[in-house]
Amino acid sequence: MKLLYSRNPNPRLAVATARYLQAPVQFEFAAPLAPGQAERYRPLTPALRVPILVYDDGSSLWETDAIACRLAREVRSPFWRTGMDEPAMLQWLSWGKQNFVRACDMVQFEYVTKQCYGLGPVDRGEVAKGLALFAESAALLEEQLAARPWLLRDGISYADFRMASFLPHHEIAGLPLHDYPAIRAWYARIEALPAWSDPFAGLDAPELPPVPQAA
C-alpha cells in the first residue's frame, strides 16, 4: 500500500497514525491541487485532497479517519477500537470534530493557514467564534482528562490523535492550552511519541510556507 500525504493537518494525522502503527505502507508526497495535477489524482479521490491510501491493485481509500481504521485493522492494532469498545471511541471522534477539533481548526485557519497562503487578513469575528467554542469544549475535555490520561479509560487510541490533530501549531495559533493543565499534560504525552512529534522524519515532505511575522 502507498500513503499519499502532505504536511497539512489531516495528512499529518494519517502519517503519524501509520508510523505509530508501523503499518506496511510506502509514503509519497502528493499535491493534487498543484497546477496540472488534478487529472492524475482524480481517479484516486473525487475530493482532490490528501491523504489517500492506494492499494496494491490501484484502488484507493480517502479521508483520514477511514484510512486510520484501515491501517489499524491491517496490523491488528487496538489503536482503532473494535467490538463493544468502538462506540466510545466514535463518541470522541464525533464530538471532537464538531467541537474541540473544529474550534482549533477555526482559529488556526485564520492565524496560520490564511497567513501561510496569503488568503487574506485575519477575520477577528471568526477567531472570536473559534475561541468561544474552544473555551466551551476545552472545559468539557479538561474535566474528562483530569480523571484519566487518555480519552478512553483503557489507554491511548486513535481518538486521542484525532482530538489533537490541530494542536501541533497551537502556539502560533494562540490557542490557550496554558489555561487547561489536564489538556496540556495530555498533549505532552502525545508529543512525547516520536510518530507524532516528527511524523515526516526521513520523508520527502516540503515545508509549509512560513507564517509571516506580525507587523
Side-chain angles (χ1 to χ4, degrees):
M1 293 185 293
K2 184 182 296 184
L3 181 60
L4 308 185
Y5 68 91
S6 72
R7 281 187 177 264
N8 292 307
N10 281 311
R12 183 192 192 281
L13 173 58
V15 173
T17 299
R19 295 205 125 173
Y20 178 79
L21 294 171
Q22 298 182 13
V25 299
Q26 297 177 321
F27 297 95
E28 181 178 305
F29 182 82
L33 295 179
Q37 294 298 303
E39 294 312 308
R40 174 186 175 188
Y41 292 102
R42 199 179 303 280
L44 300 176
T45 170
L48 290 179
R49 298 289 191 277
V50 287
I52 308 166
L53 186 65
V54 183
Y55 299 125
D56 293 340
D57 65 1
S59 61
S60 61
L61 182 70
W62 42 281
E63 284 298 310
T64 306
D65 295 351
I67 290 170
C69 177
R70 177 66 176 81
L71 294 178
R73 293 186 179 183
E74 178 73 21
V75 300
R76 301 180 184 274
S77 170
F79 190 59
W80 183 285
R81 300 296 195 269
T82 57
M84 295 301 291
D85 295 327
E86 191 170 31
M89 186 189 70
L90 293 177
Q91 164 194 280
W92 286 113
L93 296 183
S94 177
W95 179 85
K97 280 197 166 185
Q98 294 300 316
N99 293 278
F100 186 79
V101 177
R102 180 172 169 235
C104 295
D105 185 10
M106 289 173 69
V107 178
Q108 178 169 304
F109 180 74
E110 294 298 328
Y111 282 132
V112 180
T113 305
K114 285 176 69 174
Q115 307 318 306
C116 282
Y117 295 104
L119 301 178
V122 171
D123 185 328
R124 303 294 177 181
E126 285 300 301
V127 170
K129 291 177 185 176
L131 289 176
L133 182 58
F134 181 89
E136 177 184 337
S137 55
L140 185 153
L141 198 58
E142 176 76 8
E143 181 180 358
Q144 298 293 309
L145 290 171
R148 54 182 181 268
W150 305 106
L151 291 174
L152 300 184
R153 296 185 183 279
D154 58 346
I156 190 171
S157 72
Y158 177 69
D160 294 289
F161 271 30
R162 167 49 78 187
M163 196 72 71
S165 54
F166 282 85
L167 293 181
H169 296 107
H170 69 88
E171 293 181 345
I172 299 175
L175 293 168
L177 291 195
H178 53 82
D179 292 338
Y180 303 94
I183 294 176
R184 191 170 65 248
W186 162 78
Y187 188 59
R189 287 188 285 273
I190 296 175
E191 279 195 313
L193 301 170
W196 183 269
S197 62
D198 191 9
F200 302 112
L203 299 182
D204 174 20
E207 295 284 349
L208 293 173
V211 178
Q213 294 294 318

